[in-house]
Amino acid sequence: MNKGWKSGRVGELIASLESGISVNGVDGTPSNDDYAVLKVSAVTYGKFNPQASKKITGSELQRAKCIPKKGQIIISRSNTPELVGASCYISEDYPNRFLPDKLWQTIPHPEKKVEHKWLAYFLASPWARFRLSSLATGTSNSMKNITKSELLTLPVPIPPFLEQKRIASFLECWDNAIEKTEALIAAKEKQFEWLTSNLINRAGHKRKPTSSLMSEVSKRNKNSGIERVLSVTNHSGFVLPEEQFERRVASENVSNYKVVGKGQYAYNPSRINVGSIARLDNWENGILSPMYVVFKLDTTKVCSDYFLHWLNSSEARQRIKNSAQGSVRETVSFKDLGAIDIPLPAMEIQKGVTYKLNLAQREISLLNKTLKQYRIQKRGLMQNLLTGEWQVGNSHPEAEEIRKEGIT
DNA sequence: TGCTTGGATAGATAGTGGTT
DNA sequence: AACCACTATCTATCCAAGCA
């Protein structure tokens, strides 16, 4: 262990750990001025959301204690397996919020100097998270609990106060980089929507019903030659059901299933209103439940990528949704879909639009990759810094270099 | 004895899909 | 159109042990 570091327990670093009251609360989102008790969901790793709370009244308000205050850490003692032990640093006072009995707050020690930001990072570190989640009891797979004594006796390598501050500010830099990247991605996504809208939907192109571009493909899996059963989900398009579910959910006999080939589109008529429609890109072929509609495009009239961009635009999604609402079961038949019209300029223009949109999309996916890298690197950094394997300081060129990368 | 605390569990709600 | 299967999330609520 590094010079000046001591091994200790979480309990030594704080005066006490207190939990709030057991209440029922009132449904409905409280305003910032209402007295309210936090929901357990207000705390996730590193993030505090005071909006996640319920209004309280009368007798409950009188019993209420434990107000989140600046400099404290709030910890989840009873939660789902993923979130049990989750904690966050409180950076301002919340005078009209109270803790429920399922959350703890740390009361800082009056004499000992401890940087609570550092402690919060420690509690959120991969190591501490792992320890806490393995200490959690509870046989049900939906709710786990941590006891007070287990948290208080959790071992922690304690650096000197100054080092605590350095570690905290270093990791804060990293968090900033992550936040900035997230914000940038959000902005780029907004821009992408705007671009789609302006290049396709509001560009004044002549519109044509999509039925003039699409033709249904109803090839059946006659001799059961294809075994790859696929589903179309609203968030990831084509997926293998076994990745989504434990078991394969298809029927025994798949000879009546519909065959879909690469580049073709498919949707489930009763799920399309929530966005379950996609183009098959990742596999050569696959089979789908007979209820699906499979279609292909006439690529002499429309560029497939252009069509896909249009299909993913908020305007097209809305129109599909509207067309579903007319029917009793909220389904969209192939005929219904064909009745929607698409702005369709000449092929050259379609290609130009597609080029621009693909470029913008690639930029977003690159930023997402970067973000993912940042998160992985932050995990590693936490591990190394909080255990004292690396020291933060001017003396450490490697750490300094990484810090610079994190900022830019 | 009555209140607090830790822990287990049921159930509401929402969502993903499917078959017949 | 009716119905089924399964997962995930969240939290109300109950119960027993601990404590003053």
Side-chain angles (χ1 to χ4, degrees):
Chain A
M1 194 165 296
N2 275 317
K3 206 176 119 196
W5 287 53
K6 287 181 297 186
S7 50
R9 312 261 171 190
V10 169
E12 296 166 29
L13 298 166
I14 55 177
S16 65
L17 204 57
E18 288 179 7
S19 64
I21 51 161
S22 167
V23 288
N24 295 328
V26 182
D27 281 337
T29 316
S31 75
N32 282 340
D33 298 330
D34 287 325
Y35 284 112
V37 64
L38 296 166
K39 290 184 180 181
V40 181
S41 55
V43 177
T44 47
Y45 284 101
K47 288 220 172 109
F48 180 60
N49 174 19
Q51 292 307 116
S53 51
K54 282 167 111 181
K55 274 194 246 185
I56 51 170
T57 48
S59 60
E60 284 174 342
L61 186 55
Q62 288 185 354
R63 288 193 298 129
K65 51 178 190 176
C66 296
I67 297 162
K69 289 206 178 91
K70 183 179 173 179
Q72 294 179 335
I73 301 167
I74 295 188
I75 305 160
S76 195
R77 79 161 178 92
S78 179
N79 212 321
T80 52
E82 271 296 301
L83 283 168
V84 69
S87 55
C88 58
Y89 179 79
I90 304 297
S91 51
E92 58 176 293
D93 290 353
Y94 294 93
N96 45 18
R97 289 290 180 270
F98 300 100
L99 262 67
D101 61 342
K102 301 287 185 268
L103 295 176
W104 282 312
Q105 66 183 167
T106 58
I107 308 296
H109 211 288
E111 291 138 31
K112 274 188 193 165
K113 271 184 160 181
V114 174
E115 175 58 57
H116 265 48
K117 274 185 196 166
W118 157 77
L119 182 57
Y121 275 118
F122 172 77
L123 290 173
S125 70
W127 185 85
R129 281 173 70 164
F130 177 76
R131 277 297 290 256
L132 287 174
S133 69
S134 50
L135 285 170
T137 59
T139 48
S140 93
N141 55 6
S142 62
M143 210 58 161
K144 299 273 183 192
N145 306 282
I146 294 170
T147 66
K148 205 170 188 174
S149 64
E150 273 164 349
L151 182 65
L152 290 175
T153 54
L154 187 76
V156 43
I158 309 169
F161 183 62
L162 209 64
E163 182 75 3
Q164 291 174 18
K165 289 208 147 217
R166 285 207 199 110
I167 292 171
S169 74
F170 188 102
L171 289 171
E172 261 186 312
C173 282
W174 208 264
D175 276 343
N176 280 339
I178 289 174
E179 261 171 45
K180 293 228 171 80
T181 312
E182 280 171 346
L184 187 59
I185 288 170
K188 291 279 177 190
E189 272 169 353
K190 215 169 167 187
Q191 189 190 34
F192 181 77
E193 270 221 40
W194 180 87
L195 210 57
T196 309
S197 173
N198 276 274
L199 292 175
I200 298 179
N201 293 312
R202 286 191 212 156
H205 302 308
K206 223 168 142 186
R207 286 170 182 263
K208 274 192 183 160
T210 50
S211 58
S212 62
L213 310 171
M214 315 183 300
S215 54
E216 193 170 359
V217 181
S218 257
K219 200 176 154 198
R220 302 287 170 151
N221 194 26
K222 277 275 167 51
N223 49 9
S224 302
I226 304 174
E227 287 185 352
R228 188 186 295 117
V229 178
L230 297 170
S231 293
V232 177
T233 69
N234 58 2
H235 52 273
S236 358
F238 278 94
V239 293
L240 292 166
E242 50 262 47
E243 278 172 11
Q244 193 93 359
F245 303 100
E246 286 293 309
R247 283 192 294 275
R248 203 171 127 142
V249 260
S251 352
E252 283 292 305
N253 185 349
V254 292
S255 64
N256 197 33
Y257 271 46
K258 286 187 181 170
V259 175
V260 56
K262 196 171 191 172
Q264 294 180 339
Y265 291 76
Y267 70 93
N268 180 331
S270 61
R271 306 292 311 171
I272 189 174
N273 56 337
V274 293
S276 293
I277 179 166
R279 184 177 70 187
L280 184 62
D281 288 328
N282 295 337
W283 292 279
E284 275 309 308
N285 57 27
I287 48 175
L288 293 161
S289 158
M291 74 185 305
Y292 276 86
V293 172
V294 180
F295 65 88
K296 63 178 180 187
L297 296 177
D298 181 346
T299 49
T300 61
K301 292 180 186 156
V302 66
C303 165
S304 187
D305 278 3
Y306 176 88
F307 182 85
L308 192 58
H309 281 307
W310 169 77
L311 196 60
N312 287 329
S313 72
S314 50
E315 197 214 75
R317 297 272 160 173
Q318 193 55 49
R319 296 196 60 184
I320 289 169
K321 214 171 172 179
N322 291 346
S323 119
Q325 272 166 1
S327 61
V328 185
R329 282 283 295 170
E330 301 220 342
T331 63
V332 179
S333 67
F334 188 59
K335 207 176 148 196
D336 293 337
L337 187 64
I340 298 173
D341 44 43
I342 172 175
L344 198 70
M347 188 54 102
E348 279 311 301
I349 296 174
Q350 287 181 36
K351 291 213 163 135
V353 168
T354 303
Y355 176 77
K356 284 178 194 159
L357 291 176
N358 283 353
L359 210 62
Q361 212 166 37
R362 202 163 325 134
E363 195 184 358
I364 292 170
S365 85
L366 277 175
L367 280 170
N368 272 314
K369 267 189 195 160
T370 308
L371 182 63
K372 209 171 156 190
Q373 282 303 317
Y374 279 167
R375 292 212 169 106
I376 292 168
Q377 285 164 359
K378 187 192 156 193
R379 273 178 64 102
L381 273 179
M382 284 176 100
Q383 190 74 0
N384 291 325
L385 292 176
L386 294 162
T387 55
E389 252 170 70
W390 287 0
Q391 258 182 301
V392 191
N394 301 331
S395 59
H396 206 301
E398 197 174 351
E400 196 57 30
E401 201 174 301
I402 289 162
R403 169 153 59 175
K404 273 185 205 147
E405 270 177 41
I407 296 164
T408 50

